[in-house]
Amino acid sequence: MAIRKGTGAGRTGTHAVLASRRRVQLLDALRASPTPMTVGELAALCELHVTTVRFHLDALTSAGLVSAEPERNPARGRPRRLYRALAPLEPGHADSGYQGLARVLAAHWAGAEGGDPVSRAEAAGRAWALDDLTGTPGSPRSIEDAASTLTTLFAEMGFDPELESTSEEMRIRLHACPFESVARQSPNVVCALHLGLMRGVLDRLGAPETDNRLIPWETPQTCVAHLARR
């Protein structure tokens, strides 16, 4: 089952790499560091092998999330390669035209008459998934496979997802929301749309039945999608 790419190779290169928990871990470490870090420093901090760190840093650099530069004035020997996280778009930054349009539509929909706007938003999300985001349905998949596909989809859309699993459920933690400014003003509509999208993708995949839900702002900065076995 293939998920259609959101806006082409450029977007996939920027966001799909964040479906890896290790890459998110390395990116968070770089964002928290006041100075650039070497491969060795990152490997020690994150308890990873140097070769593994180098592999993931190459992907993050290619995606434009991390910059690499040679060390200036090394004490001895060849200059080391230093890595730093590139500054993300800050919340509240000037919206794109799409964000502005989304805000107007969400506000209008939330106040419109003729049915529950939350239910209508979820239905719209399902239709989005069934009509536009996936190909021909395949054979039923495991919950793990479905969660992995959803994680990739969320990464392509810019949600900076991290897949977590326990013996009872799969959790997809969303560290960023490309629609955050709109979602905070109209959370019922925007979050219901994303819930419908998630459920529509599960239907399209032919995934096993699950108890699924989306918790907006479980922390001040993250939302979480839950998939539990029935």
Side-chain angles (χ1 to χ4, degrees), residues 164-196:
E164 306 167 348
S165 62
T166 68
S167 59
E168 298 180 351
E169 68 174 358
M170 308 293 293
R171 293 161 50 93
I172 306 173
R173 185 169 298 280
L174 307 174
H175 291 274
C177 177
F179 313 100
E180 180 176 354
S181 62
V182 185
R184 291 200 182 271
Q185 292 182 36
S186 304
N188 290 343
V189 171
V190 176
C191 297
L193 180 72
H194 294 149
L195 175 62

Side-chain angles (χ1 to χ4, degrees), residues 150 154 194-202 212-213 225-227:
L150 278 171
F154 280 131
H194 294 149
L195 175 62
L197 172 66
M198 180 178 78
R199 289 175 171 171
V201 170
L202 292 173
N212 52 73
R213 55 200 171 101
H226 292 257
L227 284 76

Side-chain angles (χ1 to χ4, degrees), residues 6-20:
T7 55
R11 180 161 190 169
T12 301
T14 301
H15 297 299
V17 293
L18 295 175
S20 165

Side-chain angles (χ1 to χ4, degrees), residues 61-126:
T61 302
S62 297
L65 297 168
V66 166
S67 67
E69 58 190 39
E71 180 183 24
R72 296 183 180 180
N73 304 318
R76 58 183 180 180
R78 297 177 57 186
R80 300 176 299 173
R81 200 165 181 78
L82 300 176
Y83 295 87
R84 72 169 72 239
L86 296 178
L89 187 66
E90 294 294 333
H93 191 81
D95 288 335
S96 66
Y98 176 76
Q99 284 275 22
L101 175 61
R103 177 183 292 108
V104 171
L105 290 174
H108 173 76
W109 205 353
E113 298 180 358
D116 176 18
V118 174
S119 298
R120 289 162 55 205
E122 182 180 336
R126 282 181 179 271

